[in-house]
C-alpha cells in the first residue's frame, strides 16, 4: 500500500489523516481539531503540526485552505482570518513541520475534494466539463476538463440576484436560517442555473456535508445538468490533499 498524508483546513475544523493512495480512502482514523479563533496562519499552522506529529508522519504533506492558492501563496480569505491573504502558506507549513518546501503542497479545499472525487469517487471516468460544488460554510468549486483540474475557480462568489452566491445557498445558510430542505434547495437551483448558463457543465458533483443527505434534496433540484452526490463525503479534502502532495501538484 502507498500511503500519503492530507490535512483539510476549514472554518470550523482542521482534519487530517493517513491516506491509502491506491484505495483513495483514509487509512485508519482521522483526527479533527477545532479551528482556532482567530484562525490566523500561525495558530492554524500549530494545529496542522500537532496533527501531523500525532501520526508520526514524515513524508510529503498536502494541506488545503479555503482560499485561492497560487504557487503556495494564499490570495483570498472568505471564511478564515484575513491575515492569510498574501501569506506564503507553503513556506509557513514547511518551517512549522520541519520539512523542505518541496514536501509540502498547499491547494484550495474544493480543488482537493475535486481531485479525490475525479480519481476515486463520482467523477471516475467522466470526461467533458465536470464541476464539483462543496456546500459548507461557503460554496467551494472545482472545475475539470477531461479530468484535468483548472484550479482556483471561485464560482461560489458568483453574483446571483445581486448577492454573493454563497451567502444565499451555502449549507451554513440553511443552518443559520433554519431552512427546510424544500426551502433551501430552490436557492441551490437558482445558483446552479446561473452557473450552468455561464459554463455549461456536463456533470455537477454535489459535495460538502450536505452530500451525506443527498436523497433529501437532490431530487428537489430544478436544473438542466446531471447532478450526482459526491462519494467521498467528509474525507474528500484529506484524500485529495494527500494525492496532490504525493504527485507534487503545485498551482
Ligand atoms: C472560498 C473558496 C473555498 C470555499 C469553500 C469560499 O468562500 O472563497 O476559496 O473553496 O469557500 O471553503
Amino acid at each position: 500500500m502507498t500511503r500519503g498524508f492530507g490535512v483539510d483546513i476549514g472554518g470550523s475544523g482542521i482534519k487530517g489523516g493517513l491516506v491509502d493512495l491506491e484505495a483513495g480512502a483514509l487509512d485508519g482514523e482521522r483526527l479533527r481539531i477545532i479551528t482556532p479563533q482567530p484562525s490566523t496562519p500561525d495558530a492554524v499552522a500549530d494545529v496542522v503540526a500537532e496533527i501531523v506529529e500525532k501520526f508520526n508522519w514524515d513524508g510529503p504533506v498536502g494541506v488545503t485552505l479555503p482560499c485561492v492558492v497560487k504557487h503556495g501563496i494564499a490570495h483570498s480569505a472568505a471564511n478564515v482570518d484575513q491575515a492569510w491573504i498574501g501569506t506564503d502558506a507553503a513556506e509557513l507549513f514547511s518551517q512549522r513541520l520541519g520539512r523542505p518546501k518541496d514536501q509540502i503542497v498547499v491547494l484550495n479545499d474544493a480543488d482537493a475534494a475535486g481531485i479525490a472525487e475525479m480519481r476515486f469517487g463520482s467523477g471516475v471516468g467522466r470526461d467533458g466539463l465536470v464541476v464539483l460544488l462543496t456546500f459548507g460554510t461557503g460554496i467551494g468549486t472545482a472545475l475539470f476538463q477531461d479530468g484535468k483540474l483548472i484550479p482556483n475557480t471561485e464560482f461560489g462568489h458568483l453574483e446571483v440576484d445581486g448577492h454573493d452566491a454563497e451567502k444565499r445557498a451555502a449549507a451554513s445558510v440553511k443552518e443559520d436560517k433554519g431552512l427546510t430542505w424544500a426551502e433551501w434547495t430552490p436557492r441551490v437551483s437558482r445558483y446552479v442555473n446561473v452557473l450552468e448558463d455561464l459554463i455549461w457543465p456536463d456533470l455537477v458533483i454535489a459535495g460538502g456535508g450536505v452530500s451525506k443527505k443527498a436523497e433529501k434534496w437532490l431530487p428537489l433540484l430544478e436544473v438542466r445538468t446531471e447532478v450526482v452526490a459526491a462519494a467521498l463525503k467528509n474525507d474528500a479534502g484529506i484524500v485529495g490533499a494527500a494525492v496532490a502532495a504525493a504527485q507534487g501538484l503545485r498551482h
Side-chain angles (χ1 to χ4, degrees):
M1 188 211 305
T2 319
R3 290 204 301 189
F5 200 92
V7 182
D8 192 19
I9 298 174
S12 55
I14 300 176
K15 302 167 285 189
L18 291 163
V19 173
D20 176 339
L21 293 172
E22 282 139 34
L26 287 187
D27 174 26
E29 292 291 295
R30 65 173 196 184
L31 178 61
R32 180 182 191 273
I33 295 178
I34 288 169
T35 306
Q37 297 301 337
S39 51
T40 57
D42 281 337
V44 167
D46 283 347
V47 174
V48 171
E50 187 182 336
I51 292 174
V52 174
E53 281 157 19
K54 276 258 162 61
F55 287 90
N56 279 320
W57 174 253
D58 62 4
V61 176
V63 186
T64 80
L65 282 173
C67 309
V68 169
V69 184
K70 288 177 86 75
H71 313 293
I73 298 173
H75 290 280
S76 68
N79 296 304
V80 281
D81 196 90
Q82 295 298 300
W84 279 99
I85 296 172
T87 294
D88 187 336
E91 179 66 31
L92 171 73
F93 295 129
S94 145
Q95 290 194 2
R96 194 63 190 75
L97 298 175
R99 280 171 173 71
K101 219 170 165 179
D102 65 4
Q103 295 270 295
I104 307 286
V105 168
V106 187
L107 72 168
N108 172 265
D109 54 357
D111 284 347
I115 288 170
E117 286 295 331
M118 294 306 287
R119 179 167 302 207
F120 303 108
S122 300
V124 170
R126 299 298 301 246
D127 280 343
L129 194 70
V130 179
V131 63
L132 169 102
L133 307 176
T134 64
F135 295 92
T137 309
I139 297 177
T141 64
L143 190 65
F144 294 82
Q145 174 64 28
D146 294 338
K148 189 174 175 5
L149 173 67
I150 295 142
N152 289 305
T153 52
E154 285 283 319
F155 297 141
H157 298 293
L158 280 178
E159 188 179 314
V160 176
D161 303 327
H163 298 271
D164 185 13
E166 70 174 24
K167 296 275 183 311
R168 307 279 287 190
S172 60
V173 177
K174 176 181 185 299
E175 178 109 353
D176 294 346
K177 293 193 185 299
L179 303 177
T180 62
W181 294 108
E183 287 165 340
W184 176 70
T185 308
R187 292 169 175 244
V188 179
S189 293
R190 176 74 189 124
Y191 168 60
V192 174
N193 291 155
V194 170
L195 182 64
E196 61 189 354
D197 282 350
L198 290 173
I199 64 167
W200 285 80
D202 296 295
L203 176 70
V204 172
I205 302 176
V210 284
S211 62
K212 282 187 277 189
K213 303 235 170 92
E215 77 286 353
K216 302 248 188 227
W217 61 281
L218 288 200
L220 307 178
L221 280 174
E222 292 185 20
V223 300
R224 181 173 59 224
T225 313
E226 178 189 357
V227 183
V228 294
L232 280 86
K233 311 289 187 293
N234 277 341
D235 300 331
I238 300 174
V239 172
V243 168
Q247 296 185 334
L249 292 178
R250 287 185 181 77
H251 304 297

